[in-house]
Amino acid sequence: METKIFDQSQLNEAAAILAEGGLVAFPTETVYGLGASALLPNAVAQVYQVKGRPSDNPLIVHIAEPEQLEPFVDNKHPFADKLMETFWPGPLTLIFSIKKDSLPSIVTGGLSTAAFRMPNNTKTLALIKQAQQPLVGPSANTSGKPSPTSAAHVQHDLAGKIAGILDDGVTQIGVESTVLDLSDPTAPPVILRPGAISKEQLEAVLQTKVLVDQHLVTESEAPKAPGMKYKHYAPNTNVMMVNDQDWSAAMAWAKEQQLKVGVLAGPTIAEQVRFEAAAIYLFFDDSVEAATKGLFAGLRALDESIAELDILFAPTFPESGLGAAYMNRLKKAANQSFFQEN
Ligand code: TXA
Ligand code: MG
């Protein structure tokens, strides 16, 4: 199958493919999603297949307007409307309990709940409208690879396996949406996956405590968020996290071990390590926003670097606001390992 690159003028063509059960990757403000009609079980089955994703890991249903929830959701959480009003379209996925059999079980992983999100990308919102159905959209990467933040990443992983990619350049945020569990209308909201909409922002809007659930599920439990059970975001090269004050010690250690080091960093750290690093992936500036935007692209680029690196170093950030989302992804990529002087 030839994977076509669609631009905005070809939205009709892309929407028609989706309506007929084909697969088209779409841009969002977070990462690229692998689109298929959420109402066509055969199309959704292909999504799992081309990604190589375990089929008990449920998908997010992407909608173009809140009214599209109606066929699926009735018993909405009291906080739902306020959150949709404030954060949609945007990087917030909401889990609701759904009407029985309103979605194919292959979408929900057989759960009585489902995840919904209205992405903040005008082309994709238009695509969903034209396809006239909600779209599932897991990140458009091979399962286990960093999520794609450009059409080129999607092509790298899925070329030949999907009908097309709607190209809208590099995604703005760089990590996947915040997943918030609102499935029990009598319980407080629980963050299942941190994203660009932070716990602090949610608490400010709701004027209530928001819980965070990041526990690793056991084999017998169904996973509630990606990465809980399955290895995620892991490049082939080992990754190590480096705290601000530890960069010179980390570089010295690597030299002593004769390791070729790739560094992901903003300009200040890059300047500090530039004579010792074998390759550098430079974030746009020193901010956590720039690091988050560049993290997956940087991991992909250095992982495939012709320098054949032995180890990748990446900077840590305080775990609040967007930093919680950045560190959540980085810790998974680094398998929790921090550089420590001994
Ligand atoms: O930013 C994003 O959310 C991107 C873009 C493309 O929209 N999509 C994305 O999808 O990250 P995915 O499938 O890679 O991650 C969604 C995760 C699922 O893996 C699942 O663990 C969780 O959301 N999820 C989905 N339905 C759920 C449910 N009913 N209960 C609990 N968690 C659920
Ligand atoms: Mg994913």
Side-chain angles (χ1 to χ4, degrees), residues 51 53 139 141 147 176 232:
K51 273 183 65 77
R53 170 168 168 137
S139 49
N141 53 291
S147 293
E176 308 84 348
H232 247 75

Side-chain angles (χ1 to χ4, degrees), residues 24-340:
V24 176
F26 57 75
T28 79
E29 75 283 35
T30 59
V31 301
Y32 276 73
L34 179 51
S37 167
L39 307 180
L40 301 174
N42 288 337
V44 179
Q46 281 180 54
V47 167
Y48 284 102
Q49 204 204 331
V50 304
K51 273 183 65 77
R53 170 168 168 137
S55 60
D56 62 347
N57 196 356
L59 303 173
I60 298 174
V61 177
H62 292 67
I63 56 177
E65 50 203 0
E67 292 69 41
Q68 262 183 304
L69 284 177
E70 269 158 33
F72 312 113
V73 181
D74 50 9
N75 194 12
K76 260 202 256 145
H77 195 282
F79 291 147
D81 287 327
K82 180 79 183 168
L83 290 174
M84 292 191 286
E85 239 167 71
T86 310
F87 296 111
W88 281 9
L92 179 66
T93 294
L94 300 176
I95 311 272
F96 294 121
S97 70
I98 53 166
K99 299 180 194 174
K100 199 167 158 31
D101 298 329
S102 60
L103 281 167
S105 64
I106 192 165
V107 173
T108 60
L111 300 173
S112 58
T113 58
F116 296 91
R117 135 167 162 82
M118 181 177 166
N120 189 15
N121 180 288
T122 50
K123 290 175 192 170
T124 290
L125 292 174
L127 181 71
I128 298 169
K129 280 187 190 152
Q130 287 196 32
Q132 293 187 308
Q133 45 213 304
L135 303 179
V136 296
S139 49
N141 53 291
T142 304
S143 198
K145 288 266 177 215
S147 293
T149 56
S150 72
H153 296 158
V154 180
Q155 222 164 5
H156 176 277
D157 285 13
L158 302 179
K161 297 181 175 171
I162 62 176
I165 305 167
L166 178 59
D167 190 356
D168 193 30
V170 173
T171 60
Q172 191 55 39
I173 294 170
V175 296
E176 308 84 348
S177 61
T178 306
V179 176
L180 188 70
D181 189 350
L182 292 181
S183 59
D184 180 352
T186 64
V190 186
I191 295 177
L192 302 182
R193 176 175 75 182
I197 305 295
S198 66
K199 177 178 191 281
E200 295 84 350
Q201 275 174 291
L202 293 168
E203 289 181 336
V205 165
L206 297 176
Q207 291 294 306
T208 188
K209 188 112 188 91
V210 170
L211 310 178
V212 180
D213 179 352
Q214 289 190 62
H215 81 295
L216 289 160
V217 291
T218 62
E219 287 299 309
S220 57
E221 270 179 282
K224 282 194 188 162
M228 279 184 158
K229 177 167 161 190
Y230 308 106
K231 194 170 148 84
H232 247 75
Y233 317 116
N236 294 321
T237 320
N238 285 332
V239 180
M240 210 179 256
M241 298 177 273
V242 181
N243 290 319
D244 270 357
Q245 71 279 4
D246 292 338
W247 279 94
S248 46
M251 297 309 290
W253 169 80
K255 191 172 187 178
E256 197 184 287
Q257 304 291 314
Q258 300 189 321
L259 297 174
K260 274 201 214 167
V261 186
V263 170
L264 296 91
T268 301
I269 291 166
E271 175 66 24
Q272 207 183 318
V273 303
R274 71 195 162 112
F275 296 115
E276 286 101 36
I280 295 182
Y281 185 89
L282 189 61
F283 298 144
F284 187 67
D285 60 36
D286 291 329
S287 66
V288 68
E289 287 78 14
T292 305
K293 184 171 179 172
L295 179 64
F296 289 154
L299 290 173
R300 279 177 178 263
L302 292 182
D303 209 22
E304 281 160 24
S305 163
I306 50 160
E308 295 188 16
L309 304 164
D310 299 308
I311 193 163
L312 309 182
F313 286 167
T316 59
F317 281 89
E319 291 184 48
S320 58
L322 186 60
Y326 170 85
M327 288 302 293
N328 171 272
R329 305 314 190 274
L330 178 58
K331 281 179 178 172
K332 284 173 185 164
N335 202 6
Q336 312 291 325
S337 95
F338 286 89
F339 172 78
Q340 269 174 323

